[in-house]
């Protein structure tokens, strides 16, 4: 199986595991989302962020298939492939460690849901958005990465930060002053 096919198979499996781990498909979670349908949530926020990463990844794979960028010499391609694998492993570890903290504290990972706990430990000591940093490290087709990062930075994160400021007030302001949005 080629590296691309392995990567394509790993993406939906990662998303499935992410959904199961976060409890996004439990009856309670579905009821809560159904109640929130009446809330004013932007249509672009209805797609779970990990799925946005997957869609952008697949767009990058499609662009590579249509307009391939050859890396020469082949030794350099092997080094880049190995580095990409390392980034994926580190990214998955980083994202899932952050997700584990949310699960342990029983707070939400959904941007427009009300959080119950301000998480500042683990990877949150270094970045306010370790799940997004981790998912970013998983993206191999870097051609479309700036579009994805713009979406996360200018659409998703502001919604999350507004909610956190509303719920945690000064505690979140102090945390935001101490820890950078990305790193």
């Amino acid at each position: 199986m080629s590296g691309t096919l392995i990567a394509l198979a790993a993406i939906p499996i990662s998303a499935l595991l992410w959904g199961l781990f976060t409890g996004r498909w439990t009856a309670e979670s579905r009821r809560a989302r159904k109640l929130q349908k009446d809330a004013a949530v932007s249509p672009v926020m209805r797609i779970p962020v990990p799925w946005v990463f997957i869609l952008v990844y697949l767009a990058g794979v499609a662009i590579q298939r249509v307009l391939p960028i050859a890396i020469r010499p082949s030794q350099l391609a092997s080094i880049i492939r190995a580095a990409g694998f390392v980034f994926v492993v580190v990214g998955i570890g980083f994202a899932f460690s952050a997700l584990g903290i949310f699960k342990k504290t029983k707070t939400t990972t959904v941007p427009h849901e009300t959080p119950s706990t301000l998480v500042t430990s683990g990877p949150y000591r270094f970045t306010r958005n370790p799940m997004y940093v981790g998912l970013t490290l998983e993206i191999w087709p870097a051609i479309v990465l700036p579009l994805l990062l713009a979406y996360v930075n200018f659409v998703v994160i502001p919604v999350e930060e507004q909610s956190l400021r509303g719920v945690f007030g000064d505690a979140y302001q102090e945390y935001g002053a101490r820890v950078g949005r990305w790193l």
Side-chain angles (χ1 to χ4, degrees):
M1 190 183 274
S2 75
T4 301
L5 290 177
I6 292 170
L8 288 175
I11 296 294
I13 292 169
S14 296
L16 179 64
L17 290 173
W18 188 275
L20 292 172
F21 193 66
T22 60
R24 293 290 294 156
W25 297 310
T26 63
E28 181 181 325
S29 176
R30 286 193 309 273
R31 272 193 301 277
R33 284 194 307 278
K34 193 173 189 178
L35 290 173
Q36 288 181 342
K37 280 189 178 177
D38 297 332
V41 176
S42 169
V44 295
M45 292 293 295
R46 296 248 182 235
I47 302 170
V49 177
W51 283 104
V52 174
F53 276 84
I54 290 166
L55 294 171
V56 170
Y57 175 84
L58 293 174
V61 169
I63 290 169
Q64 176 64 19
R65 290 284 182 204
V66 173
L67 301 168
I69 298 172
I71 300 173
R72 306 243 189 284
S74 62
Q75 293 87 359
L76 179 59
S78 297
I79 291 169
I80 290 172
R81 210 172 282 115
F85 180 76
V86 169
F87 277 118
V88 167
V89 170
V90 169
I92 288 171
F94 203 61
F96 273 95
S97 72
L99 185 61
I101 292 171
F102 269 56
K103 190 160 179 68
K104 187 168 48 173
T105 60
K106 296 181 181 167
T107 193
T108 184
T109 59
V110 180
H112 55 272
E113 290 180 3
T114 304
S116 61
T117 305
L118 178 60
V119 178
T120 61
S121 61
Y124 289 90
R125 292 174 299 175
F126 311 109
T127 172
R128 295 192 314 254
N129 297 287
M131 287 184 240
Y132 299 143
V133 170
L135 289 170
T136 299
L137 292 176
E138 292 181 43
I139 301 298
W140 287 346
I143 295 170
V144 291
L145 183 59
L147 297 173
L148 173 63
L149 294 179
Y151 166 75
V152 171
N153 194 60
F154 298 113
V155 176
V156 177
I157 292 175
V159 170
E160 293 174 339
E161 289 181 339
Q162 180 180 359
S163 175
L164 290 166
R165 274 192 297 277
V167 173
F168 300 109
D170 290 341
Y172 184 75
Q173 286 297 113
E174 291 170 16
Y175 172 62
R178 192 175 67 247
V179 177
R181 178 179 266 186
W182 287 94
L183 293 175

